[in-house]
């Protein structure tokens, strides 16, 4: 076995590199050695554990890995060894040599001739990309030599990376997680996302030489980048790589994506719990499935299984559980964890939700504040209902402010908990899924004119038809955001991919039945029936917006 320097290892990589992360070898602090058969390994010694980053570079001609391993084992005499992020074929070779393996992720690869996702599953990606294009965003490539000379361009990329990573409380930056966009620049490709105002993000494409492919490192975007930025970056970068005759692009490993029917694993029970059972349970709390779903939208043609393998060598007194524990701790140390909690982190945690969901946070603060401050957590005082409740008998000059403020008052605790909670969920859902300009316009219009519309549709027709009923309807003072809630619900039903008509029909029936069951008098029934009307108005608005967006997307796709 011969230790070799980084330059020799890099020359070998340019011929034999096949793992999407092999390039990371040359961004991290690793040792390199080459066996007699020509295998090149990258490793790091951490205590009793020898950590191997990825598979070795494997020479052409079918050399035997078992012979290469015997040579390494004889030279290093490892007590515990671990291979990190290896593909399934190599994991099988390791298992044949006594290593215990477990799948820790799955990596999607997109065939670059199929860079534009098709079908219903790709519709969301195409729609988001078209939205970004209409907003004036464009992907351009920066040449490495120009970037190397231009300190201002490098500063922009560093600024974006700092903004992108600032919400994180823990930084992992070593071993296979090492990053440095300005290392080995001549062999990498740099793409930036430009808006009319500034650079919004970037992607660095690192080579996978043996299979003539690229690894798309994280899409690094400003936290306030326009909607559709990630989709536009990913698609246009893949299109550019396809034009240069590259074959595939890796979108990065999705962690903890394990098979649904995981077989009995030959690993210690404690680590089966930690690495299989617990990840399966926390999928609902950490968005592993969301990460997987996002990548599936780009229609990968294959998913490569990624494994972690541990070998317990030499000392029969050391249990496998202890070997796995030491390997896990060594890997964590190799990742060089660093807490990043500071004033900037705390400020971002406080201001982040406000910046991302300003309407949701404002409505929440105002509603909860009024419920605690005015209701004292219980029934709304009579003076507040008199001063802020909306009714047709109040002077027209007061209608606008009463229509707006009455949406944030609630009659009692039951009204608050049963109405405000779904209202908050719907506001958040709408703000997450709709463009900010459309949502703000729709929401402001709704809160200002919901009672006006209710007066025109439900109350005013009774003026000439049933004058006594008209008087009763006029006198009823109303508070709460239920009308806006129904508008938003009707609007968001059109976001459902399946069964939206059935959901609307069922919701309509429930709205009418609810009006019947909770109404003691006929005028109360008529007023409660307005929820059905507002559900319908919201659905109509959402359907019109859906058809408009689809028409625009088709026109833009043709362009």
């Amino acid at each position: 076995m011969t230790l070799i320097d980084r330059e020799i290892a890099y020359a070998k990589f340019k011929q034999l590199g096949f793992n999407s992360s092999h390039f990371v070898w040359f961004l991290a602090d690793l040792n390199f050695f080459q066996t007699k058969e020509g295998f090149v390994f990258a490793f790091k010694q951490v205590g009793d554990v020898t950590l191997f980053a990825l598979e070795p570079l494997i020479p052409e001609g079918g050399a035997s890995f078992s012979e290469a391993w015997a040579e390494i084992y004889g030279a290093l005499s490892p007590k515990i060894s671990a291979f990190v992020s290896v593909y399934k074929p190599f994991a099988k070779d390791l298992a044949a040599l006594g290593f215990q393996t477990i799948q820790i992720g799955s990596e999607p690869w997109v065939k670059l001739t199929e860079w534009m996702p098709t079908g219903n599953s790709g519709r969301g990606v195409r729609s988001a990309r078209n939205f970004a294009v209409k907003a004036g965003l464009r992907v351009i490539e920066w040449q490495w030599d120009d970037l190397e000379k231009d300190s201002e361009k490098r500063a922009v990329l560093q600024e974006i990376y700092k903004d992108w990573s600032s919400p994180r409380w823990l930084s992992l930056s070593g071993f296979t997680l090492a990053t440095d966009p300005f290392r080995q620049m001549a062999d990498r490709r740099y793409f930036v996302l430009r808006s009319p105002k500034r650079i919004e993000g970037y992607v660095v494409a690192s080579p996978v030489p043996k299979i003539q492919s690229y690894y798309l490192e994280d899409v690094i975007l400003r936290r306030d980048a326009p909607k559709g930025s990630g989709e536009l970056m990913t698609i246009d970068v893949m299109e550019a790589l396809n034009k240069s005759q590259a074959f595939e692009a890796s979108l990065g490993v999705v962690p903890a994506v394990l098979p649904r029917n995981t077989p009995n694993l030959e690993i210690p029970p404690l680590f089966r719990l930690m690495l299989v059972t617990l990840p399966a349970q926390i999928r609902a709390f950490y968005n592993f499935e969301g990460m997987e779903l996002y990548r599936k939208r780009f229609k990968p043609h294959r998913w490569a299984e990624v494994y972690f393998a541990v070998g317990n060598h030499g000392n029969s007194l050391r249990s496998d559980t202890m070997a796995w524990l030491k390997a896990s701790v060594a890997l964590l140390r190799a990742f060089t964890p660093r807490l990043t909690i500071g004033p900037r982190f705390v400020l971002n945690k406080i201001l982040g939700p406000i910046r991302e969901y300003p309407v949701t946070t404002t409505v929440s603060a105002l509603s909860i504040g009024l419920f605690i401050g005015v209701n004292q957590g219980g029934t709304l005082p009579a003076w507040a209902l008199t001063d802020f409740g909306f009714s047709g008998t109040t002077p027209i000059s007061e209608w606008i402010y009463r229509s707006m403020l009455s949406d944030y008052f609630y009659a009692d605790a039951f009204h608050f908990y049963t109405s405000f909670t779904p209202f908050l969920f719907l506001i958040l859902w709408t703000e997450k899924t709709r463009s900010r300009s459309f949502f703000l316009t729709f929401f402001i219009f709704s809160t200002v004119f919901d009672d006006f519309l209710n007066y025109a549709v439900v109350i005013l027709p009774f003026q000439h038809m049933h004058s006594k009923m008209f008087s009763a309807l006029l006198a009823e003072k109303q508070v709460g955001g239920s009308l806006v809630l129904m508008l938003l619900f009707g609007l968001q039903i059109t976001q459902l991919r399946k069964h939206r008509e059935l959901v609307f029909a069922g919701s309509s029936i429930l709205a009418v039945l609810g009006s019947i069951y909770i109404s003691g008098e006929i005028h109360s029934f008529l007023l409660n029936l307005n929820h059905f009307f507002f559900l319908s108005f919201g659905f109509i608005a959402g359907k019109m917006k859906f058809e408009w967006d689809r028409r625009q997307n088709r026109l833009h796709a043709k362009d």
Side-chain angles (χ1 to χ4, degrees), residues 50-68:
T50 306
L51 292 174
F52 294 91
L54 315 169
E55 295 95 333
L57 300 178
I58 301 173
E60 301 288 352
S64 170
F65 172 70
S66 60
E67 293 181 9

Side-chain angles (χ1 to χ4, degrees), residues 444-463:
I444 293 171
F445 182 88
S446 301
T447 56
V448 173
F449 294 106
D450 58 334
D451 289 302
F452 287 57
L453 185 59
N454 181 55
Y455 178 81
V457 173
V458 178
I459 299 175
L460 188 60
F462 285 89
Q463 183 176 8

